Amino acid sequence: MTAAVEHDQVYAIAEEVFAAMIDGEPGYLRPWEGDLPVTLEPLVAWVDVHGELAGRAAVTTDLETAHELTRALLGMTPDEPVGPEDLTDAFGEVANVVGGNVKALLPTQGTLSLPVVATELPVVPGTSLTHELRLDWRGRSIVVVVWLFQ
């Protein structure tokens, strides 16, 4: 996927997803400056692309930020509790839309897996990291990665 999808394209996808789905307007997602903070309660959501060019797109953040993303995506109030199903559905949907847009840029369309949400991204032998975007959403760190399956 590295030759088919450029770094700037992945960044543009993330910007568009956050502007359309989460914030309702552009400008709240930008590159992270400096070192990323240590994440004590990580949460990652990913989808796999299967086909001629196969890979994985994942979004990683901390649990608190994932709750904020869920509230924003589902139109919840700032103090409304986020249940596990809402968290899985909403955070998984962010990865699903990012991954689906990355897949749409590939020269041949494959299939997209259902999103998975977990505390860590499983290691897949024979993969290579093609893109890593360290992003700042409203002062909170989010990392978007794209892996190529060999």
Side-chain angles (χ1 to χ4, degrees):
M1 280 198 283
T2 186
V5 180
E6 300 295 326
H7 184 83
D8 290 346
Q9 291 174 304
V10 178
Y11 180 72
I13 287 168
E15 275 187 315
E16 289 171 18
V17 167
F18 274 71
M21 292 177 55
I22 297 166
D23 295 312
E25 61 185 345
Y28 293 101
L29 188 74
R30 58 188 176 276
W32 185 271
E33 299 204 11
D35 295 332
L36 287 173
V38 174
T39 303
L40 299 177
E41 293 183 276
L43 197 65
V44 60
W46 71 89
V47 292
D48 290 340
V49 176
H50 303 282
E52 188 176 316
L53 288 173
R56 174 173 288 163
V59 180
T60 304
T61 192
D62 61 75
L63 184 60
E64 184 179 332
T65 301
H67 279 223
E68 291 301 319
L69 287 169
T70 299
R71 287 185 187 100
L73 184 62
L74 299 180
M76 300 167 76
T77 62
D79 59 341
E80 195 169 345
V82 174
E85 287 182 13
D86 285 341
L87 178 66
T88 299
D89 289 347
F91 192 50
E93 185 61 15
V94 172
N96 189 48
V97 175
V98 169
N101 280 286
V102 169
K103 179 182 84 77
L105 295 174
L106 299 176
T108 58
Q109 298 298 299
T111 60
L112 197 64
S113 73
L114 292 173
V116 178
V117 178
T119 57
E120 63 183 54
L121 191 63
V123 175
V124 177
T127 60
S128 60
L129 181 65
T130 60
H131 302 292
E132 180 183 57
L133 285 80
R134 296 172 176 208
L135 304 171
D136 177 325
W137 176 66
R138 298 179 179 255
R140 298 170 178 271
S141 67
I142 295 175
V143 178
V144 175
V145 294
V146 177
W147 292 85
L148 177 65
F149 295 165
Q150 303 294 337

